[in-house]
Amino acid sequence: MTTPLIPVDRILPVLDEPEPVRRRRRRALGKASPLTYLVLTFVILASVAPLYYMVVMASRPNSDITSTPPPLTPGDQLGENATRVFANPDVMFAQSLLNSLMVSLVATITVVTLSSLAGFAFAKLRFRGKNVFLLAVIGTMMVPVQLGLVPLYMLMGWLGLAGSLWSAVLPFLVTGFGVFFMRQYVSQAIPDELIEAARVDGASTLRIFAQVVFPAMRPAVAVLGLLTFMERWNDFMWPYLTLSPENPTVQVALSRLSGGYYTDQALVMAGTLLATVPLVLVFILFGRRIVGGIMEGGLKG
Amino acid sequence: MHLRDRLARFDINGAPYVFIAPFFVLFGIFGLFPLGYTLWVSLHDWSLLGGNEGWVGFANYTELVGDEYFWNSLLNTFAIFVIATVPQILAALALAQVLNTSLRALTFWRIGVIIPTATSIAAVGIIFTMMFSRDFGIINWLIGLVGVEPIAWNQERLPSWLAIATMVDWRWTGYNALILLAALQAVPKELYESARLDGASALRQFRSITIPMLRPTLMFVVTVATIGGIQLFTEPLLFNPGANAITGGDTRQFQTSAMYVVEQAFTGQRFGYAATVAWILFAIIVVVSLVNSLLVRRIRSVD
């Protein structure tokens, strides 16, 4: 275990059971002035401008893209450009979407399941060394695992998985963030009485988890699932290094597209749009939950 | 003792360990072991194809000290990290303050600031690389409107650093603002109320209440930014599309250390040397994080 980079005395308050949250409308700190809305509007514009630019470029022919002044409104070529992306034999775009889906799904399922198990244990069970283990979990969030890429690559070779989709998934089957996030949720949202009642009825720990606790964790499962899926869908560095050329994820396919066809900007942008849109849609649909998840998941020392 | 009692006892004493074991086992195998083993590999002459070709002690490390490409990558990494992180944290703090007022359509604004984080790094790298392109990029066109000559963003050192820092900040500022906002909302309102009664100005309240109360979260944000920033890889890789992307420009003007690790491992096929660079980077992350924590802890409320 490396030294936790967050001083322990800052974390220790975290080790106390979190207070159950009483949902009530926050009393605001101050009135929002028109200036506030102006600043926020500017921030939102800056947030979406590059994505808007992507849409403009993806829907134009290359002749427009290389004209001056640059086009500022979307054109009508999106369909053609998208068709060219899928038809490009080097990029294997359709296959890469499927690969990304599989990698993201597998990691999401294992992260949610194993995090729920461990989070429940940390929140509701008593065992020796609990705080030390919990600090270790928090410490793992601070470990730059990417830097182990050389032995990780060797390890995949030893396991006979070099280049396969499995090699892209294995390092992400668990996350410290997931365990910590689930622990916070279970501590706050699931009353001890519920568990004690099940114990009195003679249920085993696993049964309590499966039949009492896990069903009550649905909101947290949804949020952690969303965050994990997004993170895996967007992974770049490790898949780029480990996957064989015939097995790209969509992000790796994109980098190949931009590397090989950077003179064909309409093609590259259409591919980028296709890879981004599903996620932005998910985000707009479930944004409220994701925002809540991020705000709950930040370490509150 | 009957089997049943034993089972019941194990269920109470053993079950918790069974529940947390999968996390630790998997993290140990795929997270901790590779990182630790990096040190071992770095002490060997180890190639991609030939495998372990023998113990060389600290030879890789002495070579590293004289390796100008390594120092160049470290300079780029740190320059981009500082250029990106300082404004990012300040902007995130300001944005968190702005979001911590009574807003209409609260969720809309919050989702708005977080959309960049949902965009993949690869997409960000590709989109911004096009925006920063010399001849037809929208950035050069925009600065041209106010009379600035077109800049060859990915040819020169400082412009390339700025462009890459922009990508990092676009993606992360809103996310960090939300984390800081969560911490802001945890500050007891009574503190501000009594400060107001004592006649403290808004600025004074910010300095004496907000910053000290935010200290742990600030430290978390800064540490995460440090760990991410020192491993910066994707944005600079995609900033120079083409066959030599891994060198970070024709004169390595924006090759980061993480890119150098990958170049040595996969282009140069020198696993031992790549592991050495990676291990030094890890040591740097630990040191910088400790320095960060000291700095952040120095922030005291001015009584």
Side-chain angles (χ1 to χ4, degrees), chain A residues 7 9 26 28-30 32 37 46-47 53 66 69-70 127-128 142 146 148 151 205 234 236 251 258 279 283 295, chain B residues 11 16-17 34-35 98 100 102 104 112 114 118 120 130-131 136 141 170 182 185 219-220 227 231 234 241 266 282 297:
Chain A
D9 59 325
R26 213 165 44 81
L29 264 182
Y37 286 108
S47 282
Y53 181 75
T66 51
F127 55 100
R128 270 197 344 188
M142 298 286 136
Q146 302 265 37
T205 311
N234 288 341
F236 181 81
Q251 309 300 339
S258 89
L279 220 58
F283 208 84
M295 289 180 65
Chain B
D11 187 60
Y17 297 107
L35 192 62
V98 169
N100 197 25
S102 60
R104 285 166 192 284
I114 201 82
S120 78
M130 264 184 212
M131 288 167 68
F136 307 109
W141 178 72
W170 181 77
Q185 294 185 342
M219 195 155 93
F220 174 72
I227 294 171
Q231 299 178 80
T234 306
F266 296 93
F282 175 61
R297 295 178 77 169

Side-chain angles (χ1 to χ4, degrees), chain A residues 2 4 9 22 36 41 53 65 81 92 94-95 130-132 140 154 159 178 201 220 255 267 283:
Chain A
T2 52
D9 59 325
R22 285 188 308 281
T36 305
T41 306
Y53 181 75
I65 293 178
N81 291 335
M92 306 168 62
Q95 176 68 44
K130 185 155 112 171
N131 282 355
V132 176
T140 63
M154 287 161 28
L159 296 171
D201 292 344
S255 73
L267 177 79
F283 208 84

Side-chain angles (χ1 to χ4, degrees), chain A residues 47 50-51 54 93 96-97 100 104 227-237 239 249-256 258 268-281 283, chain B residues 114-129 166-172 232-236 238:
Chain A
S47 282
L51 296 171
M54 169 179 79
F93 201 75
S96 77
L97 283 169
S100 276
S104 307
L227 290 175
T228 307
F229 191 91
M230 273 174 27
E231 211 177 333
R232 296 290 76 89
W233 181 270
N234 288 341
D235 262 333
F236 181 81
M237 185 176 181
T249 54
V250 72
Q251 309 300 339
V252 177
L254 276 189
S255 73
R256 209 183 288 173
S258 89
V268 176
M269 276 306 190
T272 311
L273 176 76
L274 289 170
T276 306
V277 157
L279 220 58
V280 171
L281 280 182
F283 208 84
Chain B
I114 201 82
I115 278 182
T117 312
T119 314
S120 78
I121 305 195
V124 172
I126 291 167
I127 295 167
F128 276 78
T129 298
T166 305
M167 301 182 203
V168 174
D169 285 356
W170 181 77
R171 196 155 178 260
W172 288 112
L232 187 68
F233 175 81
T234 306
E235 294 91 334
L238 296 173

Side-chain angles (χ1 to χ4, degrees), chain A residues 150 154, chain B residues 37-63 264-265 268-276:
Chain A
V150 171
M154 287 161 28
Chain B
Y37 201 68
T38 300
L39 178 62
W40 179 248
V41 176
S42 75
L43 301 172
H44 293 77
D45 189 358
W46 204 307
S47 73
L48 182 57
L49 296 174
N52 188 348
E53 290 164 1
W55 171 271
V56 294
F58 287 98
N60 285 326
Y61 289 83
T62 48
E63 182 182 344
Q264 286 297 328
Q269 308 212 344
R270 299 182 63 199
F271 273 18
Y273 194 61
T276 308

